[in-house]
Amino acid sequence: MLFLTPHRQGHPGVQPLTSLFMRCSIGTHHYIICFLLACATASPGSWAAELENIVVTGRKPAGSTGSQLHGFSSYTQVEDLPNVPPTLSSLVSRLPGVALAGQGGLLQTVAIRGLSRQRVGSYFLDIPILTERRAGTAASFIDPAILDGVELVRGPATTAYGSGNLGGLIRSIPGTTTGLEARLGWGGSGSENNQLVRYGEQNFYAALSHRGSNDAETPDGTPLHTRFDQWNLLLGGEYNTESATYRAVTLLTDANDIGKSNVRYPDDRVTTYPDERHWLSQISRLTESDQIHAFVHYQDLSTEVLRPGVRLDVVDSSSIDFGARYVREWETGTDWRWGLDYLGRRNVDIDEQRKPIDGLPEPSMASLRAEQNEIAVFVEAKRSWSEFTATAGARLGTQQQNAEGWSEENESLVSAYLGANWSFATDWSANAELSRGVRVANLSEKFFSGTTGRGLVQGNPNLSPEIADNIDLGVIYDNGRLQVETHFFYMELDDFIERVPLSTEILSFRNLDGGHINGMDFDARLGLNEKLEIGLGGQIQSGENGEGNNLQDISPNRLSLNALYRGATWQWSLDYQHRFEHDDVAATEQSIGSADLLSFSITKPLSESMVLSVWGRNLLDQTYILTTDELSTAGEKIAFGVEWSWRSMR
């Protein structure tokens, strides 16, 4: 890949990039080896600037072991938001290059640069959040209110993070606090409610949060199956010695009665998740030169699919994921970084039972019994010469999958990137990245056979790994008052895994010969004065498979405008988004019309320790379809809410 300075980026690639990209992507590992040797023997150069490439709030999360070498990554500080969105998907979908995907409800997923489902990674610290849901990981069990912020990476990120992550990734960083804090909120057409209590000292913090909602409604009064009840308990601590820092974080979550909103509800199909439980824990040791992390993630999800008048299908899935990561950094004129990763999955079990409305329940049957191992080593280097910085990295790994009734599957995983950053004038910089990412089909795509919320699914054990070759070109302007970042990208896809119908009731997966996605994202910020800031952002995307047909999950083009005022005694924000009509859809998707969405929030301190906020969503009361998914519903009607917060004096 290639790189440029710190801040934002955006815009779609164009066809002329194809030939350049194809020339560069062939034999990428040879270029990387040459570059690493050159770095090792070159004389030290002066730093033009530290490559952070972090936008929105521009701060890299503490203790991050992920690569900093991504052309358009951003970090959103939750505390800086006018009001905290109820889900991670609603938080990140406002950012350029990101859009909602799949069906509605709490388990709503997102697409990054036209890729979604298993191609978008989700992390809590260094813990990969893996799932057997064919729709992909929503990480919806994490309440954004307990977070410090969310890191977003656009484009292939498999070199630093591992198999998958072809479209990018979302990484949640837990929040610490000092003193005592409390928060209460209510609103929305579904009577959303949220409560939070947090406490922290120098080396310890804890947070307990609750969120819930009843079923909401569309502007025309159609019911949306969006109810849920969710608890989060976060515990963390830190211990320091002269030579190292030790950290431990644990997150326990429990959710009940989660509705899945789609057009089949309530007459044809009612999908509900009665229980969803997660336990995530990570311990870390950090020194000036290296980091060691070990983690575990247990999850358990129950699904009920009711076919009114016919039967009730009950599906229980669970798994235990665990792993470790070692990262070492050193400097020899070149900044070096290498690491070793291990990820294991055990007891990946899915059981199903059918209960006819009239008749005796059928015996429970196993839809999946599987396990997985992945081990990899990666190396990265960064070298600066005056106004120019070059970067490179490579990852070599192997993944093993075992499923009951099937032969063992083994895949070699190779990913890499080359990057460059050039500060070519005062306040101006440009970057470029050339990267290759890889994703092995997950256990469910290969081996699962049974009922899902969408219908019956039959896995395909013959799926080949997906390969994504990506080029990203960006230009950044930053004079302190005005920041503009624009990126163009072009991604070539091989063996793209597409969901296809085998019949009216059964879905499966197949590899396409190829395909491509090109697009553009941009983000701009202008500080009119010390109190008022204006923002403008947008995205353009298009994608086709090797047969010239539209790819699934390509997001609509979008333009957004927002204003934020921070006064001495009150604060307000106004967000407007225009989503363009999108009818270039895949065969299994639906065309959607344009939409104009307007929201606001107003915050007023009541005292030195208390704050009152009011907010509104869909102020124009627009009727619009959420996503191009053929089962997607319309969005929620106009909604208002209020939130009260209190924080002890510090």
Side-chain angles (χ1 to χ4, degrees):
M1 312 176 212
L2 288 179
F3 296 72
L4 296 175
T5 69
H7 260 63
R8 283 148 230 167
Q9 301 162 286
H11 285 219
V14 288
Q15 211 63 19
L17 294 174
T18 312
S19 58
L20 168 65
F21 179 72
M22 293 309 294
R23 289 198 302 270
C24 294
S25 64
I26 297 173
T28 301
H29 62 286
H30 293 119
Y31 293 106
I32 292 174
I33 292 172
C34 293
F35 172 79
L36 295 177
L37 291 174
C39 288
T41 58
S43 61
S46 63
W47 286 87
E50 185 70 23
L51 273 185
E52 296 280 15
N53 296 318
I54 301 298
V55 219
V56 183
T57 58
R59 186 169 71 81
K60 187 73 175 177
S64 173
T65 59
S67 174
Q68 294 187 356
L69 309 177
H70 294 290
F72 195 7
S73 62
S74 60
Y75 188 72
T76 301
Q77 189 100 23
V78 171
E79 189 172 304
D80 291 343
L81 298 175
N83 65 291
V84 181
T87 63
L88 284 176
S89 60
S90 58
L91 189 157
V92 300
S93 61
R94 303 179 301 176
L95 302 176
V98 187
L100 297 177
Q103 301 168 46
L106 180 68
L107 301 184
Q108 179 93 58
T109 58
V110 299
I112 301 178
R113 287 187 168 179
L115 293 175
S116 69
R117 288 177 266 175
Q118 308 293 345
R119 304 176 189 92
V120 172
S122 291
Y123 289 77
F124 181 78
L125 290 173
D126 296 286
I127 307 173
I129 302 172
L130 305 175
T131 180
E132 295 314 310
R133 293 185 66 235
R134 273 57 52 189
T137 302
S140 56
F141 59 88
I142 301 175
D143 184 349
I146 68 170
L147 300 179
D148 174 88
V150 178
E151 183 181 8
L152 173 71
V153 176
R154 301 160 177 86
T158 63
T159 301
Y161 292 92
S163 173
N165 311 314
L166 294 189
L169 62 90
I170 300 164
R171 188 167 178 265
S172 302
I173 310 299
T176 62
T177 189
T178 301
L180 183 62
E181 179 183 350
R183 188 179 303 168
L184 297 172
W186 178 88
S189 66
S191 297
E192 303 169 20
N193 64 92
N194 61 280
Q195 304 88 40
L196 170 71
V197 177
R198 295 204 298 184
Y199 175 77
E201 298 176 351
Q202 182 177 358
N203 296 314
F204 170 79
Y205 57 92
L208 176 65
S209 76
H210 171 264
R211 283 189 181 271
S213 176
N214 297 321
D215 288 335
E217 292 182 347
T218 66
D220 65 4
T222 301
L224 298 172
H225 195 35
T226 55
R227 66 174 183 260
F228 70 93
D229 189 76
Q230 179 188 82
W231 291 86
N232 276 202
L233 174 62
L234 174 69
L235 301 171
E238 182 176 298
Y239 176 72
N240 296 290
T241 67
E242 291 184 0
S243 59
T245 296
Y246 298 86
R247 292 176 181 160
V249 178
T250 288
L251 175 63
L252 296 165
T253 77
D254 183 79
N256 302 284
D257 201 24
I258 305 170
K260 184 171 187 178
S261 194
N262 60 48
V263 295
R264 293 174 172 174
Y265 175 83
D267 299 326
D268 182 56
R269 204 76 50 89
V270 179
T271 302
T272 304
Y273 302 91
D275 298 290
E276 182 186 23
R277 290 182 292 271
H278 294 264
W279 171 51
L280 302 94
S281 189
Q282 176 170 314
I283 56 174
S284 306
R285 180 184 185 272
L286 302 91
T287 70
E288 291 185 359
S289 60
D290 57 20
Q291 301 180 27
I292 302 174
H293 305 271
F295 58 82
V296 63
H297 175 205
Y298 168 79
Q299 60 182 319
D300 185 1
L301 176 67
S302 298
T303 307
E304 292 184 352
V305 181
L306 174 65
R307 301 168 184 258
V310 181
R311 70 170 188 265
L312 174 68
D313 295 325
V314 180
V315 181
D316 292 311
S317 61
S318 61
S319 64
I320 300 175
D321 303 337
F322 57 92
R325 158 168 279 214
Y326 173 77
V327 179
R328 182 170 181 81
E329 299 176 347
W330 73 99
E331 195 268 334
T332 60
T334 297
D335 281 358
W336 290 92
R337 165 191 174 95
W338 79 274
L340 183 66
D341 281 342
Y342 170 74
L343 173 65
R345 306 200 69 203
R346 296 293 184 273
N347 303 115
V348 184
D349 299 337
I350 302 180
D351 295 301
E352 179 178 349
Q353 185 179 30
R354 295 182 176 180
K355 301 179 179 180
I357 301 301
D358 298 319
L360 296 175
E362 299 178 9
S364 179
M365 59 182 180
S367 298
L368 183 67
R369 292 286 186 273
E371 63 180 37
Q372 179 175 301
N373 292 288
E374 181 177 335
I375 188 169
V377 61
F378 63 90
V379 61
E380 296 178 326
K382 179 174 70 173
R383 182 81 178 188
S384 293
W385 300 269
S386 187
E387 290 81 20
F388 184 82
T389 299
T391 60
R395 183 185 187 94
L396 177 63
T398 181
Q399 187 180 101
Q400 175 194 71
Q401 294 175 323
N402 289 295
E404 189 175 283
W406 301 94
S407 58
E408 180 180 295
E409 299 278 341
N410 291 277
E411 298 285 356
S412 296
L413 310 174
V414 180
S415 55
Y417 67 83
L418 291 170
N421 175 63
W422 179 31
S423 298
F424 60 88
T426 303
D427 304 329
W428 288 90
S429 60
N431 64 24
E433 297 178 358
L434 177 66
S435 60
R436 164 163 288 199
V438 60
R439 184 183 83 89
V440 177
N442 73 357
L443 296 169
S444 285
E445 288 172 318
K446 284 187 174 182
F447 307 118
F448 173 80
S449 178
T451 299
T452 71
R454 186 175 292 272
L456 295 175
V457 169
Q458 175 65 58
N460 179 359
N462 300 313
L463 293 172
S464 299
E466 295 177 315
I467 303 294
D469 291 323
N470 182 70
I471 188 168
D472 183 301
L473 304 174
V475 178
I476 302 99
Y477 175 79
D478 185 354
N479 69 359
R481 184 181 175 207
L482 173 64
Q483 302 92 37
V484 182
E485 185 162 4
T486 301
H487 279 255
F488 298 84
F489 66 91
Y490 180 88
M491 184 181 297
E492 196 77 31
L493 301 165
D494 288 326
D495 290 319
F496 184 82
I497 297 174
E498 183 180 54
R499 184 182 63 225
V500 294
L502 297 181
S503 68
T504 56
E505 286 291 323
I506 302 177
L507 299 170
S508 188
F509 305 92
R510 66 167 183 173
N511 287 111
L512 300 179
D513 290 336
H516 72 269
I517 300 174
N518 57 270
M520 175 269 284
D521 354 279
F522 76 94
D523 197 6
R525 295 274 153 203
L526 173 62
L528 296 178
N529 53 48
E530 294 182 354
K531 297 180 179 180
L532 182 60
E533 180 183 87
I534 302 296
L536 180 67
Q539 64 188 42
I540 301 173
Q541 297 175 6
S542 64
E544 294 182 347
N545 61 28
E547 300 171 351
N549 300 317
N550 296 307
L551 280 179
Q552 295 174 346
D553 301 323
I554 300 298
S555 304
N557 298 332
R558 190 179 73 210
L559 187 66
S560 60
L561 176 67
N562 57 76
L564 176 62
Y565 174 84
R566 292 187 177 98
T569 58
W570 63 290
Q571 172 180 307
W572 61 262
S573 70
L574 193 65
D575 291 274
Y576 167 74
Q577 181 184 115
H578 177 75
R579 191 188 68 185
F580 293 88
E581 179 183 4
H582 188 63
D583 53 13
D584 294 330
V585 296
T588 57
E589 295 180 323
Q590 62 175 322
S591 299
I592 57 177
S594 62
D596 294 288
L597 305 176
L598 186 64
S599 62
F600 83 94
S601 70
I602 299 175
T603 301
K604 170 70 174 177
L606 301 179
S607 68
E608 291 185 356
S609 57
M610 282 193 292
V611 175
L612 184 67
S613 299
V614 295
W615 54 262
R617 297 192 300 252
N618 193 13
L619 298 180
L620 303 178
D621 207 24
Q622 283 244 313
T623 298
Y624 67 101
I625 305 300
L626 283 173
T627 74
T628 58
D629 190 295
E630 60 184 344
L631 298 181
S632 178
T633 67
E636 182 189 9
K637 68 181 184 181
I638 185 172
F640 297 94
V642 60
E643 185 169 280
W644 170 89
S645 62
W646 173 85
R647 180 174 294 182
S648 63
M649 301 301 296
R650 301 176 183 178

